[in-house]
Amino acid sequence: MRIFGLMLVKDEADVIAQCLAESSCWIDRMFILDNGSTDGTWEILQSMQSERIVIWKRDFTPYRRTMRTEIFN
């Protein structure tokens, strides 16, 4: 069995690196959508991108409940 994660982030520069490092220990792949971060989160994500950490896209539109569905599909 494989474990995949979906993550929506916005302005999480203070915790994103630790969160991804810890989750990488038990997931097979994490798909991330950045919802328009302005605090350096996007740059941290780019530096951590790997086979397990997949930056799906950066979206500056207002948050909507269907964003997770977009990543899932």
Side-chain angles (χ1 to χ4, degrees):
M1 180 169 71
R2 298 180 72 178
I3 298 173
F4 295 109
L6 306 176
M7 183 181 284
L8 301 176
V9 299
K10 183 172 183 174
D11 295 334
E12 302 290 346
D14 57 334
V15 296
I16 193 68
Q18 181 180 359
C19 178
L20 290 174
E22 293 295 323
S23 65
S24 291
C25 296
W26 55 269
I27 62 162
D28 293 298
R29 192 160 292 148
M30 177 70 75
F31 296 93
I32 304 166
L33 184 151
D34 183 295
N35 193 212
S37 294
T38 58
D39 69 342
T41 300
W42 179 250
E43 291 75 17
I44 295 168
L45 290 173
Q46 289 179 313
S47 72
M48 295 187 73
Q49 189 167 3
S50 67
E51 188 175 307
R52 287 185 169 212
I53 298 172
V54 179
I55 302 172
W56 187 66
K57 76 175 186 178
R58 191 175 196 190
D59 189 344
F60 285 94
T61 62
Y63 171 80
R64 58 196 180 283
R65 292 176 50 145
T66 59
M67 285 182 157
R68 280 186 289 276
T69 304
E70 292 176 33
I71 302 170
F72 182 79
N73 290 333

